[in-house]
Coordinates of all heavy atoms in Angstrom, one line a residue:
M1 N 27.9 10.5 31.7 CA 27.3 9.4 31.0 C 25.9 9.2 31.4 O 25.5 8.3 32.2 CB 28.1 8.1 31.3 CG 29.3 7.9 30.5 SD 29.6 6.3 30.0 CE 30.3 5.4 31.0
C2 N 25.1 10.1 31.0 CA 23.6 10.0 31.3 C 22.9 9.7 30.0 O 22.9 10.4 29.1 CB 23.2 11.4 31.9 SG 21.5 11.3 32.5
A3 N 22.1 8.7 30.1 CA 21.3 8.3 28.9 C 20.0 9.0 28.9 O 19.5 9.4 30.0 CB 21.0 6.8 29.0
D4 N 19.5 9.3 27.7 CA 18.2 9.9 27.6 C 17.1 9.0 28.0 O 17.1 7.8 27.5 CB 18.0 10.4 26.2 CG 18.9 11.5 25.8 OD1 19.4 12.3 26.7 OD2 19.2 11.7 24.6
I5 N 16.2 9.4 28.8 CA 15.1 8.6 29.2 C 13.9 8.9 28.3 O 13.6 10.0 28.0 CB 14.7 8.9 30.7 CG1 15.8 8.7 31.6 CG2 13.5 8.2 31.1 CD1 15.6 9.1 33.0
I6 N 13.4 7.8 27.7 CA 12.3 7.9 26.8 C 11.1 7.1 27.3 O 11.3 6.1 28.0 CB 12.6 7.5 25.4 CG1 13.1 6.0 25.4 CG2 13.8 8.3 24.8 CD1 13.2 5.4 24.0
N7 N 9.9 7.5 26.9 CA 8.7 6.8 27.3 C 8.5 5.8 26.2 O 8.2 6.1 25.0 CB 7.6 7.8 27.4 CG 6.3 7.1 27.9 OD1 6.2 5.9 27.8 ND2 5.4 7.9 28.5
L8 N 8.6 4.5 26.5 CA 8.4 3.4 25.5 C 7.0 3.5 24.8 O 6.9 3.2 23.7 CB 8.7 2.1 26.1 CG 10.2 1.8 26.4 CD1 10.3 0.4 27.1 CD2 11.0 1.9 25.2
K9 N 6.0 3.8 25.6 CA 4.7 3.8 25.1 C 4.6 4.9 24.0 O 4.0 4.6 22.9 CB 3.7 4.1 26.2 CG 2.2 4.1 25.8 CD 1.3 4.4 27.0 CE -0.1 4.4 26.6 NZ -1.0 4.7 27.7
L10 N 5.2 6.1 24.2 CA 5.1 7.1 23.2 C 6.0 6.8 22.0 O 5.6 7.1 20.9 CB 5.6 8.4 23.9 CG 4.7 9.0 24.9 CD1 5.3 10.3 25.5 CD2 3.3 9.3 24.4
A11 N 7.1 6.1 22.3 CA 8.0 5.7 21.2 C 7.3 4.7 20.3 O 7.4 4.8 19.0 CB 9.3 5.2 21.7
R12 N 6.6 3.7 20.8 CA 5.9 2.7 20.1 C 4.8 3.4 19.2 O 4.6 3.0 18.1 CB 5.3 1.7 21.0 CG 6.3 0.7 21.5 CD 5.7 -0.4 22.3 NE 6.7 -1.1 23.0 CZ 6.8 -1.3 24.4 NH1 5.9 -0.7 25.1 NH2 7.8 -2.0 24.9
K13 N 4.1 4.3 19.9 CA 3.0 5.0 19.1 C 3.5 5.8 18.0 O 3.0 5.8 16.9 CB 2.2 5.9 20.1 CG 1.2 5.1 21.0 CD 0.4 6.1 21.8 CE -0.6 5.3 22.6 NZ -1.5 6.2 23.4
A14 N 4.6 6.5 18.2 CA 5.2 7.3 17.1 C 5.7 6.4 16.0 O 5.5 6.7 14.8 CB 6.4 8.1 17.7
K15 N 6.3 5.3 16.3 CA 6.7 4.3 15.3 C 5.5 3.8 14.5 O 5.6 3.7 13.3 CB 7.5 3.2 15.9 CG 8.0 2.2 14.9 CD 8.8 1.1 15.6 CE 9.3 0.1 14.6 NZ 10.0 -1.1 15.2
A16 N 4.4 3.5 15.2 CA 3.2 3.0 14.5 C 2.7 4.0 13.6 O 2.2 3.7 12.5 CB 2.2 2.5 15.6
R17 N 2.7 5.3 14.0 CA 2.2 6.4 13.2 C 3.0 6.5 12.0 O 2.4 6.7 10.9 CB 2.2 7.7 14.0 CG 0.9 8.0 14.7 CD 0.8 9.4 15.2 NE 0.7 9.3 16.7 CZ 1.6 9.5 17.6 NH1 2.7 10.0 17.3 NH2 1.3 9.4 18.9
S18 N 4.3 6.5 12.1 CA 5.1 6.7 10.9 C 5.0 5.5 10.0 O 5.0 5.7 8.7 CB 6.6 6.8 11.3 OG 7.1 5.6 11.9
E19 N 4.8 4.3 10.5 CA 4.6 3.1 9.6 C 3.2 3.2 8.9 O 3.2 2.9 7.7 CB 4.6 1.8 10.5 CG 4.4 0.6 9.7 CD 5.6 0.3 8.8 OE1 6.7 0.8 9.0 OE2 5.4 -0.4 7.7
K20 N 2.2 3.7 9.6 CA 0.9 3.9 8.9 C 1.0 4.9 7.8 O 0.4 4.8 6.7 CB -0.2 4.3 9.9 CG -0.7 3.1 10.7 CD -1.8 3.6 11.6 CE -2.4 2.4 12.4 NZ -3.5 2.8 13.3
E21 N 1.7 6.0 8.1 CA 1.9 7.1 7.1 C 2.7 6.6 5.9 O 2.3 6.9 4.7 CB 2.6 8.3 7.7 CG 2.8 9.4 6.7 CD 1.5 10.0 6.2 OE1 0.5 10.0 6.9 OE2 1.5 10.4 5.0
R22 N 3.7 5.7 6.1 CA 4.4 5.2 5.0 C 3.5 4.3 4.1 O 3.6 4.3 2.9 CB 5.6 4.3 5.5 CG 6.5 3.8 4.4 CD 7.5 2.8 4.9 NE 6.8 1.6 5.4 CZ 6.2 0.6 4.6 NH1 6.3 0.7 3.3 NH2 5.6 -0.4 5.1
Q23 N 2.7 3.5 4.8 CA 1.8 2.6 4.0 C 0.7 3.4 3.3 O 0.4 3.1 2.2 CB 1.1 1.6 5.0 CG 0.1 0.7 4.4 CD 0.8 -0.3 3.4 OE1 1.9 -0.7 3.7 NE2 0.2 -0.6 2.3
A24 N 0.3 4.5 3.9 CA -0.7 5.4 3.2 C -0.1 6.0 2.0 O -0.8 6.1 0.9 CB -1.2 6.4 4.2
E25 N 1.1 6.4 2.1 CA 1.8 7.0 0.9 C 1.9 6.0 -0.2 O 1.7 6.3 -1.4 CB 3.2 7.5 1.3 CG 4.0 8.1 0.2 CD 3.4 9.4 -0.3 OE1 2.7 10.1 0.5 OE2 3.6 9.7 -1.5
Q26 N 2.3 4.8 0.1 CA 2.4 3.7 -0.9 C 1.0 3.5 -1.5 O 0.9 3.3 -2.7 CB 2.9 2.4 -0.2 CG 3.2 1.3 -1.2 CD 4.2 1.6 -2.3 OE1 5.2 2.3 -1.9 NE2 4.0 1.2 -3.5
N27 N 0.0 3.4 -0.7 CA -1.4 3.2 -1.3 C -1.8 4.4 -2.2 O -2.5 4.1 -3.2 CB -2.4 3.1 -0.2 CG -2.3 1.7 0.5 OD1 -1.6 0.8 0.0 ND2 -2.8 1.6 1.7
R28 N -1.4 5.6 -1.8 CA -1.8 6.7 -2.7 C -1.1 6.6 -4.1 O -1.7 6.9 -5.1 CB -1.3 8.1 -2.0 CG -2.3 8.5 -0.9 CD -2.0 10.0 -0.5 NE -0.8 10.1 0.2 CZ -0.7 9.9 1.6 NH1 -1.8 9.7 2.3 NH2 0.4 10.1 2.2
I29 N 0.1 6.1 -4.0 CA 0.9 5.9 -5.3 C 0.2 4.8 -6.1 O 0.0 4.9 -7.3 CB 2.3 5.6 -5.0 CG1 3.0 6.8 -4.4 CG2 3.0 5.2 -6.3 CD1 4.4 6.6 -3.9
T30 N -0.1 3.7 -5.4 CA -0.6 2.5 -6.1 C -2.1 2.7 -6.6 O -2.4 2.4 -7.8 CB -0.6 1.3 -5.2 OG1 0.8 1.1 -4.7 CG2 -1.0 0.0 -5.9
F31 N -2.9 3.2 -5.8 CA -4.4 3.2 -6.1 C -4.9 4.6 -6.4 O -6.1 4.7 -6.8 CB -5.2 2.6 -4.9 CG -4.8 1.2 -4.6 CD1 -4.1 0.9 -3.4 CD2 -5.1 0.2 -5.5 CE1 -3.7 -0.4 -3.1 CE2 -4.7 -1.1 -5.2 CZ -4.0 -1.4 -4.0
G32 N -4.2 5.6 -6.3 CA -4.7 7.0 -6.4 C -4.6 7.5 -7.8 O -4.2 8.7 -8.0
R33 N -5.0 6.7 -8.8 CA -5.0 7.2 -10.2 C -6.4 7.3 -10.7 O -7.2 6.5 -10.3 CB -4.2 6.2 -11.1 CG -2.7 6.1 -10.6 CD -1.9 5.3 -11.6 NE -2.5 4.0 -11.9 CZ -2.2 3.4 -13.1 NH1 -1.4 3.8 -13.9 NH2 -2.8 2.2 -13.3
T34 N -6.6 8.2 -11.6 CA -7.9 8.4 -12.2 C -8.2 7.3 -13.2 O -7.2 6.6 -13.7 CB -8.1 9.7 -12.9 OG1 -7.1 9.8 -14.0 CG2 -7.8 10.9 -11.9
K35 N -9.4 7.1 -13.6 CA -9.8 6.1 -14.6 C -9.1 6.4 -15.9 O -8.7 5.5 -16.6 CB -11.3 6.1 -14.8 CG -11.8 5.0 -15.6 CD -13.3 5.0 -15.6 CE -13.9 3.8 -16.5 NZ -15.3 3.8 -16.4
Q36 N -9.0 7.7 -16.3 CA -8.3 8.1 -17.5 C -6.9 7.7 -17.5 O -6.3 7.2 -18.5 CB -8.5 9.6 -17.7 CG -7.9 10.1 -19.1 CD -8.1 11.5 -19.2 OE1 -8.4 12.3 -18.3 NE2 -8.0 12.0 -20.5
E37 N -6.2 7.9 -16.4 CA -4.8 7.5 -16.3 C -4.6 6.0 -16.4 O -3.7 5.5 -17.0 CB -4.2 8.0 -15.0 CG -4.0 9.5 -14.9 CD -3.6 10.0 -13.5 OE1 -4.0 9.3 -12.5 OE2 -3.0 11.0 -13.4
K38 N -5.5 5.3 -15.8 CA -5.4 3.8 -15.8 C -5.6 3.3 -17.3 O -4.9 2.4 -17.7 CB -6.5 3.2 -14.9 CG -6.2 3.3 -13.5 CD -7.3 2.8 -12.6 CE -7.2 3.1 -11.2 NZ -8.3 2.6 -10.4
S39 N -6.6 3.9 -18.0 CA -6.9 3.5 -19.3 C -5.7 3.8 -20.3 O -5.4 3.1 -21.2 CB -8.2 4.0 -19.9 OG -8.1 5.4 -19.9
L40 N -5.1 5.0 -20.0 CA -4.0 5.4 -20.8 C -2.8 4.4 -20.6 O -2.2 4.0 -21.6 CB -3.5 6.8 -20.5 CG -2.3 7.3 -21.2 CD1 -2.5 7.4 -22.7 CD2 -1.9 8.7 -20.6
T41 N -2.5 4.0 -19.4 CA -1.5 3.1 -19.1 C -1.7 1.8 -19.8 O -0.8 1.1 -20.3 CB -1.3 2.9 -17.6 OG1 -1.0 4.2 -17.0 CG2 -0.2 2.0 -17.3
K42 N -3.0 1.3 -19.7 CA -3.4 0.0 -20.3 C -3.2 0.1 -21.8 O -2.6 -0.9 -22.4 CB -4.8 -0.3 -20.0 CG -5.3 -1.6 -20.5 CD -6.7 -1.9 -20.1 CE -7.2 -3.3 -20.6 NZ -8.5 -3.5 -20.3
A43 N -3.6 1.2 -22.4 CA -3.4 1.3 -23.9 C -2.0 1.3 -24.3 O -1.6 0.7 -25.3 CB -4.1 2.6 -24.4
L44 N -1.1 2.0 -23.5 CA 0.3 2.1 -23.8 C 1.0 0.7 -23.7 O 1.8 0.3 -24.5 CB 1.0 3.1 -23.0 CG 0.7 4.6 -23.2 CD1 1.3 5.5 -22.2 CD2 1.1 4.9 -24.6
N45 N 0.5 -0.1 -22.7 CA 1.1 -1.4 -22.5 C 0.7 -2.3 -23.6 O 1.5 -3.1 -24.1 CB 0.6 -2.0 -21.1 CG 1.3 -1.3 -20.0 OD1 2.4 -0.7 -20.1 ND2 0.7 -1.4 -18.8
E46 N -0.6 -2.2 -24.0 CA -1.0 -3.1 -25.2 C -0.3 -2.7 -26.4 O 0.1 -3.6 -27.2 CB -2.5 -2.9 -25.4 CG -3.4 -3.6 -24.3 CD -4.9 -3.3 -24.4 OE1 -5.3 -2.6 -25.3 OE2 -5.6 -3.8 -23.6
K47 N -0.1 -1.4 -26.7 CA 0.6 -1.0 -27.9 C 2.1 -1.5 -27.9 O 2.6 -2.0 -28.9 CB 0.7 0.5 -28.0 CG 1.3 1.0 -29.2 CD 1.3 2.5 -29.3 CE 2.1 3.0 -30.5 NZ 2.1 4.5 -30.5
A48 N 2.7 -1.5 -26.7 CA 4.1 -2.0 -26.6 C 4.1 -3.5 -26.8 O 5.1 -4.0 -27.4 CB 4.7 -1.6 -25.3
S49 N 3.2 -4.2 -26.3 CA 3.1 -5.6 -26.4 C 2.9 -6.0 -27.9 O 3.6 -6.9 -28.4 CB 1.9 -6.2 -25.6 OG 1.8 -7.5 -25.8
K50 N 2.0 -5.3 -28.6 CA 1.8 -5.6 -30.0 C 3.1 -5.3 -30.8 O 3.4 -6.1 -31.7 CB 0.7 -4.7 -30.6 CG -0.7 -5.2 -30.1 CD -1.8 -4.3 -30.7 CE -3.1 -4.7 -30.2 NZ -4.2 -3.9 -30.7
Q51 N 3.8 -4.2 -30.5 CA 5.0 -3.9 -31.3 C 6.1 -5.0 -31.0 O 6.8 -5.4 -31.9 CB 5.6 -2.6 -30.9 CG 4.8 -1.4 -31.4 CD 5.3 -0.1 -31.0 OE1 6.1 0.0 -30.0 NE2 4.9 1.0 -31.7
L52 N 6.1 -5.5 -29.8 CA 7.1 -6.5 -29.5 C 6.7 -7.8 -30.2 O 7.6 -8.5 -30.7 CB 7.1 -6.8 -27.9 CG 8.0 -7.8 -27.4 CD1 9.5 -7.4 -27.7 CD2 7.8 -8.1 -26.0
D53 N 5.4 -8.2 -30.3 CA 5.0 -9.4 -31.0 C 5.3 -9.3 -32.5 O 5.6 -10.3 -33.1 CB 3.5 -9.6 -30.7 CG 3.2 -10.1 -29.3 OD1 4.2 -10.6 -28.7 OD2 2.1 -10.1 -28.9
Q54 N 5.2 -8.1 -33.0 CA 5.4 -7.9 -34.5 C 6.9 -8.1 -34.8 O 7.2 -8.5 -35.9 CB 5.0 -6.5 -34.9 CG 3.5 -6.3 -34.9 CD 3.2 -4.8 -35.2 OE1 4.1 -4.0 -35.3 NE2 1.9 -4.6 -35.4
G55 N 7.8 -7.9 -33.9 CA 9.2 -8.1 -34.2 C 9.7 -9.5 -33.9 O 10.9 -9.8 -34.2
K56 N 8.8 -10.4 -33.5 CA 9.3 -11.8 -33.2 C 9.5 -12.5 -34.5 O 8.8 -12.4 -35.5 CB 8.2 -12.6 -32.4 CG 8.2 -12.2 -31.0 CD 7.2 -13.0 -30.2 CE 7.2 -12.7 -28.7 NZ 6.2 -13.5 -28.0
L57 N 10.5 -13.4 -34.5 CA 10.8 -14.2 -35.7 C 10.1 -15.6 -35.4 O 10.1 -16.1 -34.3 CB 12.3 -14.4 -35.8 CG 13.1 -13.2 -36.1 CD1 14.6 -13.5 -36.2 CD2 12.7 -12.6 -37.4
E58 N 9.5 -16.1 -36.5 CA 8.9 -17.4 -36.3 C 9.8 -18.5 -36.9 O 10.5 -18.3 -37.9 CB 7.6 -17.4 -37.1 CG 6.5 -16.5 -36.5 CD 5.2 -16.6 -37.3 OE1 5.0 -17.5 -38.1 OE2 4.4 -15.7 -37.0
K59 N 9.9 -19.6 -36.2 CA 10.7 -20.7 -36.7 C 9.9 -21.5 -37.8 O 8.7 -21.8 -37.6 CB 11.0 -21.7 -35.5 CG 12.0 -21.1 -34.5 CD 12.3 -22.2 -33.5 CE 13.3 -21.7 -32.5 NZ 13.7 -22.8 -31.6
N60 N 10.6 -21.8 -38.8 CA 10.0 -22.7 -39.9 C 10.7 -24.0 -39.7 O 11.9 -24.2 -40.0 CB 10.3 -22.1 -41.2 CG 9.5 -20.8 -41.5 OD1 8.5 -20.6 -40.9 ND2 10.1 -19.9 -42.3
D61 N 9.9 -25.0 -39.3 CA 10.4 -26.4 -39.2 C 10.1 -27.2 -40.4 O 9.9 -28.4 -40.3 CB 9.8 -27.0 -37.9 CG 10.3 -26.3 -36.6 OD1 11.4 -25.8 -36.7 OD2 9.6 -26.3 -35.6
E62 N 10.0 -26.6 -41.5 CA 9.7 -27.4 -42.7 C 10.9 -28.1 -43.2 O 12.0 -27.5 -43.4 CB 9.2 -26.5 -43.8 CG 7.8 -25.8 -43.5 CD 7.4 -24.9 -44.6 OE1 7.9 -25.0 -45.7 OE2 6.5 -24.0 -44.3
A63 N 10.8 -29.4 -43.5 CA 11.9 -30.1 -44.1 C 11.7 -30.3 -45.6 O 10.8 -31.0 -46.0 CB 12.0 -31.5 -43.4
D64 N 12.5 -29.6 -46.4 CA 12.4 -29.7 -47.9 C 13.2 -30.7 -48.4 O 14.3 -31.0 -48.2 CB 12.7 -28.3 -48.5 CG 11.5 -27.3 -48.2 OD1 10.4 -27.8 -48.1 OD2 11.8 -26.1 -48.2

């Protein structure tokens, strides 16, 4: 029953490095798009929004 001896300072640094790498990967996904990709996404979102609005039914509250 011998436990592995670890250096806490090295373990903390390794954990901090892996956390920074995880955050960097997330930032690359979030902010690493070109202007053309951003504009394409915006145009697609606007088109989908317009199509959704076209399909809405309007209520007629007219009392005849």
Side-chain angles (χ1 to χ4, degrees):
M1 278 218 277
C2 184
D4 292 334
I5 298 173
I6 61 169
N7 187 337
L8 290 178
K9 183 177 180 181
L10 294 178
R12 287 185 189 120
K13 284 185 176 184
K15 183 179 177 183
R17 265 189 241 111
S18 67
E19 183 64 26
K20 283 184 179 181
E21 181 57 35
R22 187 194 62 78
Q23 182 65 38
E25 180 65 29
Q26 184 63 36
N27 286 344
R28 282 192 288 274
I29 292 169
T30 305
F31 301 109
R33 300 187 311 157
T34 63
K35 187 174 183 178
Q36 184 178 14
E37 290 171 334
K38 290 177 189 177
S39 64
L40 176 64
T41 302
K42 184 178 178 183
L44 291 174
N45 287 340
E46 288 175 357
K47 181 179 178 183
S49 178
K50 285 180 183 178
Q51 287 178 344
L52 182 65
D53 288 342
Q54 288 175 353
K56 286 185 178 179
L57 297 176
E58 294 182 12
K59 288 186 178 181
N60 290 332
D61 292 333
E62 296 178 17
D64 287 332

